[in-house]
Amino acid sequence: MSESGFSLSISNPDTGGLNTTQKLGLTGVAIGLLAFLVAAFGPGTQQPLLFLLVGSTFLTVGGLVFSYQTYATKPKGIKNNHIMHQTLTNRGLWGWVLGIFLTGIYVLIYWFPQYLEHLIRVFDPLSYFLRGQQANQWFLYGTFYTGLVLVMGIRMIWKYRHSKYQIIRTSSVIFFQLGFAFLLPHIMVKLHQPEYYFSYFWPLDYDMFFPNTTTGMLNSGTLGIFMLAWGSLLFFIGTPILTYFYGKRWYCSWVCGCGGLANTAGDEFRHLSDKSLKAWKIERYMVYSVLVLITLITMLLWVNSYTEGAVFGSATQTLVSWYGFLIGAAFAGVIGVGFYPILGTRVWCRFGCPMAAYLGILQKYFSRFRITTNGGQCISCGNCSTYCEMGIDVRSYAQRGENIVRAACVGCGICSEVCPRGVLKLENGPAKGRTGTNPIVIEDGKVGLRN
Amino acid sequence: MKVIIIGNGIAGITAARFIRKQSSHDITVISGESKYFYSRTALMYIYMGHMKYEHTKPYEDWFWEKNRINLIHGWVGKINTSQKKVNLTNGDILEYDKLVIATGSHSNMFDWLGNDLNGVQGLYSLMDLEKLELNSKDTDSAVIVGGGLIGIELAEMLHSRKKKVTLLVREDGFFRNVFPKEESEIINRHIREHGIDLKLNTELKEIKGENDRVKSVITNSGEEILSQLVGITVGVHPNIDIIKDTDIETSKGVLVNEHLETNVKDVYAIGDCVELRKTPEGRKTIEPVWYVGSMMGKCVANNICGVKEVYNPGVWYNSAKFFDIEYQTYGNVPNEIGDGLSNVYWEHENGKKCIRIAYDAQSKEVKGFNLLGIRYRQNVCIKWIEQKLSIDQVLTELSKANFDPEFTPRYEDKLAGQKV
C-alpha cells in the first residue's frame, strides 16, 4: 500500500443517515435560514418583527432539536464518530461551501453592510428593545454571534454531558457572551451610557489605551473613569494573578467571546488545526509580532499626542487604520471565523491574538497551570493531538510522560476528554518543577517507574 | 556498527530512538506493514472516523531522516545469523552487526469449519483494517468471537457503521478471565446499552458460507446467526514466521534471557514476539501489550549500546476503554478474589464506575487496583504496591491517587467508609 495520501477509512463508509427527529430539526434550521434570506430581499424592512420571530425561533428550536437527538439521546461519552468521514468536517465539499459562505458574510458585515440593509432592519425591534435605537450591522452580527454561542453551547453541553468540567466551562462561556458581550453593553447604551464591554480589555480591545480613547473615557464622567480603571486593573493586575493561579484558560476558554464561539459553534472543526512543528514556528513569530506591534503603535500614538503630531504627523493614524483593517477585521473576523472549516477554530487565537500572546507568556513563565501526564499509560494513539484546537502536539509530551506547559494551551480540556486511557489532567499546582520528566527510567540495571 | 531492527511497532521504534539517543550507530528499521511508525492502538479510531491514518503517526515524516534512522518498507524473507545477513523478499540483502527482532503478533485462529471464507478476519494490522473496509461494504450484520480487548473494539467499530453486531463470549461475562464478576457485569450491561447482542457462555462452532463469503455462524448451542462478517478476536500469539527456519531458539515466542538476548549472539528480541525464559515477579512470559514493547525497546537499546541492563518491568499496569467506560489497572487483581487475598469494592449506583483494591488477607499489604470509569495516578498506585503499604493506610490516603478531571465527583470516601 502506498504511503502518500493513504487514508483507509475514506472508502465511502456507511454512516447510517439521519433519523426522523434529526430531519425535523434540520428542517427547522432551513426554514429559519430561509426566513432571513427572504427578509434580506426586502420584506424584512416591511415586517421586521414577523421575520425576526420566525427566523430566530426556527433556527433556535431546529438547532436544539437536532443537537438533542444527535447527542443527548445516546449514552454519555465521546462522540467523534465519522468526523473524518463527513465533507463538512473534513475539508470536503460542504466544508468549503461553509468556509466561503462565512468568509463572505464577514466581508459583507465589515465592508459592504449596505447589501445587508433589509436584513439589518429585521433586527430593529430587538435593537430598540435592548439599545433604544436602530440596529446596524454590528447589532446584527452580535445577535447572530450570541445566538450561535447559546444554541451551539447547549449542544456542546449535551455532547460532553459526562464531563462536569465541560459543562461548567461551556456555561461560563455562554454567560459571559450573553451577559457581558451582548446584553450589558446594549442596555448601557439604552441608559445613555457609553457602550462598554467589561470582558474585553487591552490588548484584545486594542484601542483602549490609545490617547483618544483614554482621554475620551476620562472626560465621560465617573463611569468612564471607572471603566478605564477596570480595564487597566484587569490588564495589569487581574490577568497576571488569575493566570498565575489557573493558567490562560480562565480567559481564553472561560470568558472570551472569540474562544466562546470556537468552543461552541466551532467544536466540530477543532481537529483541523495544523499540528506540525512548522506551524508552531509560524505561530510563535506571528502572535508575538502582533503583540509587539500593538504595543508599539500605542506608544507611538502617545508620543505623537504629547508632541502634538510634530514627530510622526498622520503616520501613526495610518498605522492604526492598517492594524484595524489587517488584524482587527481581516485576521480576527474574516480568517478567524470564516476559515473555521478550513484551518480550524482557533486560527486567530493561535496566530494573531495579542491578548493570547500576553496570556501565553504569563502561562509559560508565571503560572501554576500544567497538563499532567499519567505515568507511562500513553499509547500514542493521537486523539489528544488531533483534537487540540491550538495545534499543540500533545501526544509528543504524553508519550514521553512529560507534563505539558505550553504558551498556546487554552485549557479547553478536550485532550483529557478524548484520551482513551485517561492519561491527561489539567491541573494547578506548585509552579516549580511543572515540566515533569519521563516516568519510565532505567536505574541500577532496572527498568522501572520514577516515583 | 550496523543495527537492523525488524518491525516498526512501538518496541522496534523505541529501540531505534533510544539507540540513536546514545550512539551514532547505523540504524535501519524494516517493516512490510507501513513505511512510517503508526500507533497500532489507534486502528479503531481510523475506522470510526475519529482520526485519519496520518494522525496516528506519532512523529512527522521528516523525523526519521533528521535522526538518521533508515526506514525500509519491505518484508524480510530470511535471516542468516551465521553470515549476519537479512534477506528481503525484494532480493535486497542487508548486513548487520546487531539484530533486533520486533515482529509483533499474529491474531489467533482456530480450526473452525469455514474459517477460510471471505469475511472472516482478525484485527491487528493496517492490512486487517483495509480488509475490514472491504468486508464492511456489504455487511449488515457481523458476529465477533471473543470477549477480550480487541473483540469489544471491533464491536464498537462495526457498531459505529450501523452494523448489527453480535458478540460471542465463551465465559459467563465479558473479559471474565481477567475481570472479577462485578467489573465484568458493568461492561456486560454497557455493551448491551449500546445495542450489541452480547451472547455469554457461547462459542463458535462453525462458519457457513455461500459463494466463498460468510453467510452465517453456528454457535455451540446450535443457534444460527446470519452475518456477512466474522471477527475472530480470540487473542494473539507471537509472530515468529521468519524465525522458525533459523538457529534462533523459539518456543511460543522468541526465547530471550533477562537482557533480551536470544541464544544467538548479537540477536535480540523485544515486544509481542518475545517469550521470556525467566518470568519476572508478578508478570507473564508473553505480554503482548504496548507498554511492554516500549519498556523492552528502551532496555534493548541500552544493552546494544553497551550498558548491560536487566529487563525488569516492575509492577504490572494496563488500561483500555470499553465503549465509553475507561479501565485502568495497577498491580494484580485476579478474576477470583481468594487464594489469601481480600478486597474492598465500591460501585457507583449508576453501575458504570467502580473501584476495587485487592490486598493480602493476612499482611494487609495492598496488591492491586481495578478502576472502571475513574482515573488513578499510576505513580501513586505503583509506589503503594511497591512499598507494600497496608490497605488501611491506602484507604486513608486514597484521594491522592485520583486523576479525574477537575469538578468530577470524587468517591474515595465511599471506600474509606468500608470495614477492612
Side-chain angles (χ1 to χ4, degrees):
Chain A
M1 64 188 68
S2 75
E3 275 293 333
S4 61
F6 167 58
S7 184
L8 279 166
S9 51
I10 312 302
S11 60
N12 188 30
D14 175 15
T15 53
L18 303 165
N19 69 19
T20 314
T21 318
Q22 284 172 311
K23 285 175 190 159
L24 274 174
L26 286 181
T27 309
V29 171
I31 292 174
L33 286 175
L34 275 173
F36 285 121
L37 183 71
V38 171
F41 282 113
T45 307
Q46 281 107 50
Q47 287 188 297
L49 190 63
L50 176 75
F51 281 100
L52 179 65
L53 287 177
V54 172
S56 54
T57 308
F58 273 91
L59 267 186
T60 307
V61 175
L64 289 177
V65 166
F66 180 81
S67 304
Y68 183 84
Q69 183 61 35
T70 308
Y71 299 109
T73 57
K74 311 271 161 62
K76 292 178 183 179
I78 294 304
K79 303 273 174 283
N80 284 337
N81 284 353
H82 308 304
I83 295 256
M84 301 294 172
H85 297 154
Q86 281 154 356
T87 66
L88 179 66
T89 50
N90 187 30
R91 294 195 191 103
L93 178 75
W94 287 110
W96 278 96
V97 168
L98 182 68
I100 293 163
F101 177 77
L102 284 175
T103 306
I105 295 269
Y106 270 87
V107 171
L108 287 173
I109 288 173
Y110 276 105
W111 298 297
F112 305 100
Q114 64 271 25
Y115 298 123
L116 299 171
E117 175 58 22
H118 296 296
L119 192 59
I120 293 168
R121 294 286 68 80
V122 172
F123 288 81
D124 276 341
L126 185 64
S127 187
Y128 277 112
F129 176 73
L130 286 174
R131 285 170 71 90
Q133 51 176 249
Q134 228 189 15
N136 58 16
Q137 84 263 36
W138 302 117
F139 186 81
L140 169 80
Y141 173 54
T143 309
F144 266 114
Y145 194 106
T146 307
L148 261 178
V149 170
L150 189 65
V151 173
M152 297 299 276
I154 294 171
R155 167 197 169 278
M156 180 80 182
I157 288 173
W158 281 329
K159 183 176 175 186
Y160 289 99
R161 69 192 197 285
H162 58 280
S163 163
K164 278 252 161 69
Y165 183 78
Q166 296 306 332
I167 293 172
I168 297 172
R169 189 177 70 82
T170 308
S171 306
S172 167
V173 156
I174 295 174
F175 170 79
F176 280 102
Q177 177 59 37
L178 186 64
F180 284 69
F182 186 71
L183 294 177
L184 202 56
H186 294 323
I187 291 168
M188 285 173 70
V189 172
K190 192 168 189 175
L191 300 174
H192 304 290
Q193 299 296 335
E195 182 172 342
Y196 189 70
Y197 295 79
F198 286 93
S199 51
Y200 286 90
F201 45 96
W202 200 84
L204 185 54
D205 182 5
Y206 63 89
D207 61 358
M208 190 182 100
F209 288 144
F210 285 180
N212 289 346
T213 328
T214 313
T215 40
M217 282 162 108
L218 287 173
N219 293 335
S220 64
T222 332
L223 194 66
I225 296 170
F226 169 75
M227 286 168 181
L228 187 64
W230 169 258
S232 312
L233 205 70
L234 276 180
F235 175 74
F236 288 108
I237 302 183
T239 299
I241 291 180
L242 285 166
T243 310
Y244 176 75
F245 283 107
Y246 306 111
K248 116 195 221 185
R249 56 181 171 158
W250 77 267
Y251 190 76
C252 295
S253 61
W254 285 70
V255 172
C256 178
C258 309
L261 191 73
N263 284 171
T264 53
D267 180 59
E268 292 286 277
F269 306 111
R270 55 165 47 247
H271 56 283
L272 298 173
S273 59
D274 191 335
K275 315 302 189 302
S276 68
L277 196 65
K278 198 173 152 198
W280 184 17
K281 272 185 191 155
I282 297 171
E283 164 198 320
R284 282 177 291 178
Y285 278 115
M286 278 184 80
V287 76
Y288 298 115
S289 301
V290 174
L291 179 62
V292 169
L293 187 64
I294 192 58
T295 310
L296 275 178
I297 290 176
T298 309
M299 280 160 41
L300 291 180
L301 280 172
W302 279 103
V303 172
N304 221 24
S305 163
Y306 271 115
T307 58
E308 293 177 346
V311 186
F312 304 110
S314 60
T316 45
Q317 209 44 54
T318 315
L319 264 180
V320 171
S321 316
W322 276 102
Y323 184 91
F325 172 73
L326 283 177
I327 310 292
F331 204 155
V334 179
I335 297 174
V337 179
F339 286 19
Y340 268 14
I342 308 301
L343 298 176
T345 42
R346 290 265 193 177
V347 174
W348 160 248
C349 313
R350 183 182 177 193
F351 295 97
C353 177
M355 181 74 192
Y358 171 47
L359 285 157
I361 294 168
L362 292 171
Q363 169 159 290
K364 177 90 190 172
Y365 299 105
F366 312 100
S367 177
R368 291 162 52 84
F369 174 74
R370 87 293 309 270
I371 301 176
T372 311
T373 304
N374 194 9
Q377 292 269 28
C378 176
I379 52 168
S380 299
C381 69
N383 273 297
C384 53
S385 294
T386 303
Y387 286 92
C388 177
E389 54 186 345
M390 292 302 280
I392 299 171
D393 189 1
V394 184
R395 166 174 56 192
S396 68
Y397 300 85
Q399 67 192 358
R400 292 196 302 251
E402 256 174 44
N403 290 349
I404 296 124
V405 177
R406 276 279 291 268
C409 176
V410 291
C412 68
I414 297 297
C415 58
S416 164
E417 301 293 344
V418 296
C419 174
R421 296 294 184 269
V423 172
L424 301 162
K425 177 173 159 68
L426 280 62
E427 282 191 278
N428 312 307
K432 215 179 154 207
R434 269 188 306 163
T435 47
T437 43
N438 202 330
I440 300 172
V441 290
I442 300 167
E443 274 168 8
D444 312 326
K446 278 174 66 179
V447 183
L449 283 163
R450 176 171 293 163
N451 293 327
Chain B
M1 186 161 75
K2 284 184 177 166
V3 181
I4 289 184
I5 300 167
I6 305 175
N8 73 347
I10 179 63
I13 287 300
T14 308
R17 283 178 46 241
F18 278 80
I19 292 169
R20 173 54 68 242
K21 274 174 199 255
Q22 304 174 49
S23 75
S24 55
H25 296 337
D26 184 335
I27 306 169
T28 300
V29 182
I30 307 168
S31 167
E33 185 183 11
S34 63
K35 181 172 180 189
Y36 297 106
F37 170 49
Y38 80 98
S39 178
R40 187 174 306 292
T41 49
L43 281 175
M44 66 181 295
Y45 299 109
I46 301 177
Y47 184 83
M48 296 198 298
H50 294 210
M51 288 190 278
K52 291 194 254 180
Y53 168 69
E54 67 202 48
H55 297 113
T56 67
K57 290 190 280 188
Y59 303 93
E60 289 183 60
D61 293 348
W62 50 258
F63 176 89
W64 308 103
E65 204 185 322
K66 186 178 171 242
N67 288 288
R68 291 169 292 120
I69 295 171
N70 311 312
L71 304 177
I72 293 181
H73 190 188
W75 298 100
V76 170
K78 223 181 115 196
I79 300 170
N80 185 335
T81 53
S82 53
Q83 292 179 9
K84 291 196 161 185
K85 279 179 184 160
V86 170
N87 296 37
L88 301 186
T89 51
N90 68 4
D92 288 355
I93 298 172
L94 308 170
E95 289 178 12
Y96 68 81
D97 298 306
K98 303 261 185 192
L99 180 67
V100 180
I101 297 158
T103 46
S105 295
H106 277 322
S107 302
N108 287 341
M109 177 64 76
F110 299 114
D111 287 334
W112 293 294
L113 203 61
N115 68 9
D116 54 347
L117 287 162
N118 289 327
V120 181
Q121 70 164 109
L123 179 69
Y124 178 81
S125 62
L126 277 174
M127 291 77 82
D128 289 335
L129 193 64
E130 208 166 44
K131 206 190 270 178
L132 187 67
E133 280 292 346
L134 292 173
N135 285 334
S136 303
K137 273 183 187 157
D138 25 40
T139 293
D140 295 320
S141 46
V143 171
I144 297 163
V145 184
L149 303 178
I150 304 299
I152 194 167
E153 279 188 6
L154 191 53
E156 186 176 356
M157 290 160 74
L158 291 164
H159 182 66
S160 80
R161 300 273 185 102
K162 310 285 190 254
K163 314 294 178 200
K164 188 180 172 299
V165 180
T166 308
L167 182 58
L168 308 186
V169 175
R170 185 180 58 186
E171 293 76 22
D172 63 358
F174 174 77
F175 213 31
R176 189 65 178 88
N177 51 0
V178 175
F179 270 167
K181 198 168 193 308
E182 289 80 3
E183 283 90 324
S184 176
E185 278 175 359
I186 289 177
I187 305 303
N188 291 345
R189 285 193 299 269
H190 190 55
I191 292 172
R192 287 175 172 141
E193 182 190 4
H194 275 277
I196 308 297
D197 187 3
L198 174 65
K199 289 187 190 297
L200 302 174
N201 301 306
T202 307
E203 287 177 58
L204 173 66
K205 207 175 128 207
E206 183 189 338
I207 307 168
K208 287 194 159 183
E210 200 174 67
N211 305 326
D212 285 338
R213 176 74 193 243
V214 175
K215 190 191 82 182
S216 69
V217 155
I218 311 283
T219 70
N220 59 344
S221 64
E223 188 186 359
E224 180 167 9
I225 306 165
L226 291 180
S227 90
Q228 300 80 43
L229 195 156
V230 179
I232 304 293
T233 57
V234 287
V236 294
H237 61 270
N239 170 12
I240 49 172
D241 296 352
I242 53 165
I243 317 299
K244 277 178 189 156
D245 300 330
T246 67
D247 48 0
I248 302 165
E249 235 181 290
T250 61
S251 171
K252 280 179 186 153
V254 185
L255 288 165
V256 296
N257 64 14
E258 69 273 25
H259 298 297
L260 307 175
E261 295 160 334
T262 66
N263 62 311
V264 177
K265 193 170 180 297
D266 294 330
V267 179
Y268 304 78
I270 54 174
D272 283 16
C273 67
V274 158
E275 181 174 353
L276 296 170
R277 289 181 195 269
K278 217 173 85 189
T279 323
E281 200 198 324
R283 308 288 296 216
K284 294 186 174 113
T285 48
I286 301 175
E287 291 184 330
V289 296
W290 182 269
Y291 311 119
V292 166
S294 166
M295 284 192 270
M296 283 186 173
K298 282 180 196 181
C299 184
V300 86
N302 277 315
N303 280 309
I304 285 174
C305 296
V307 190
K308 205 80 167 158
E309 299 286 357
V310 170
Y311 170 67
N312 183 351
V315 177
W316 167 257
Y317 67 96
N318 202 4
S319 63
K321 191 172 181 184
F322 307 114
F323 281 91
D324 305 314
I325 300 181
E326 286 171 22
Y327 159 61
Q328 294 184 334
T329 190
Y330 302 109
N332 293 322
V333 181
N335 60 351
E336 303 292 347
I337 309 293
D339 203 16
L341 280 185
S342 192
N343 75 115
V344 282
Y345 178 79
W346 166 84
E347 187 174 315
H348 193 281
E349 57 200 16
N350 72 8
K352 288 187 175 183
K353 290 171 189 271
C354 80
I355 305 170
R356 184 189 298 275
I357 309 176
Y359 59 94
D360 189 289
Q362 292 248 295
S363 66
K364 306 270 184 188
E365 285 164 9
V366 71
K367 293 290 179 195
F369 297 76
N370 263 4
L371 300 142
L372 286 179
I374 291 176
R375 301 172 176 177
Y376 269 16
R377 287 175 200 272
Q378 180 180 4
N379 55 353
V380 173
C381 293
I382 286 188
K383 199 168 76 185
W384 285 343
I385 294 167
E386 278 176 349
Q387 294 177 347
K388 302 184 186 229
L389 231 63
S390 79
I391 180 71
D392 305 283
Q393 211 171 337
V394 165
L395 287 180
T396 47
E397 294 181 31
L398 199 55
S399 60
K400 282 185 193 164
N402 191 291
F403 196 68
D404 273 335
E406 292 152 304
F407 306 121
T408 308
R410 300 289 185 89
Y411 303 102
E412 277 69 42
D413 55 333
K414 308 270 183 194
L415 275 162
Q418 288 197 18
K419 278 257 155 53
V420 175

